[in-house]
Amino acid sequence: MPSSKPTPEQAYAFEKHFSITPFLEAQQRALRATLDLQSQALARASRMSSTCADFIRMRLEEDRKALVEGSGCRTPQEALTLSTAFMETAVKQYGEEFASLTRLCIESLHDTVQAVPELAPVPAMDAPKLSVPARAA
């Protein structure tokens, strides 16, 4: 058996017919889109964490104020009035925060769904046509 070493031109002659360039370009596009999506996701997570931390800080301050005010109550009626106002405020603020976080989640989901086709484009497909044979009488 002769052991002749092929020239580079002979070794890579198949590339004329089977180029990997389109595959590499598609992979590069998908990688760029994935990196963009990850960057956006980290920014959204940071924004959500910051929003939560700000809310917790504000609520802890509200709790501290309520404790200070509660320590000055002289009658059960004062305590009841204070606790009722505290609970009404807390329920309102927690509801607003929940709505705000829900909006952030929906925006994030919408942006992610918009980016997915760029990562993995889905070819358009026609609905399959089903033919049902006529029933024999």
Side-chain angles (χ1 to χ4, degrees):
M1 255 182 155
S3 63
S4 63
K5 190 173 182 180
T7 65
E9 292 81 21
Q10 293 170 331
Y12 299 106
F14 73 92
E15 189 173 354
K16 294 177 188 175
H17 302 289
F18 302 103
S19 175
I20 61 169
T21 302
F23 173 77
L24 293 176
E25 289 171 352
Q27 293 300 316
Q28 288 172 342
R29 281 192 309 274
L31 181 59
R32 275 192 299 275
T34 301
L35 292 174
D36 288 345
L37 187 61
Q38 288 175 343
S39 174
Q40 292 169 12
L42 287 174
R44 283 188 205 95
S46 175
R47 182 177 170 200
M48 190 170 287
S49 295
S50 175
T51 300
C52 287
D54 290 344
F55 176 74
I56 291 168
R57 180 193 47 74
M58 184 267 303
R59 281 302 313 154
L60 287 172
E61 181 60 24
E62 292 285 328
D63 293 352
R64 186 194 66 74
K65 287 179 188 175
L67 288 172
V68 170
E69 289 177 24
S71 67
C73 289
R74 304 231 186 266
T75 66
Q77 289 79 12
E78 285 180 42
L80 181 60
T81 301
L82 177 67
S83 66
T84 301
F86 173 80
M87 290 305 295
E88 287 173 351
T89 301
V91 167
K92 179 182 177 229
Q93 290 175 341
Y94 275 99
E96 290 169 352
E97 182 66 11
F98 181 75
S100 173
L101 292 175
T102 300
R103 276 191 300 276
L104 287 175
C105 288
I106 290 171
E107 288 171 12
S108 178
L109 180 61
H110 179 265
D111 293 345
T112 302
V113 167
Q114 295 294 346
V116 168
E118 192 173 328
L119 293 175
V122 178
M125 294 176 33
D126 293 329
K129 295 182 179 162
L130 300 175
S131 61
V132 179
R135 284 179 41 172

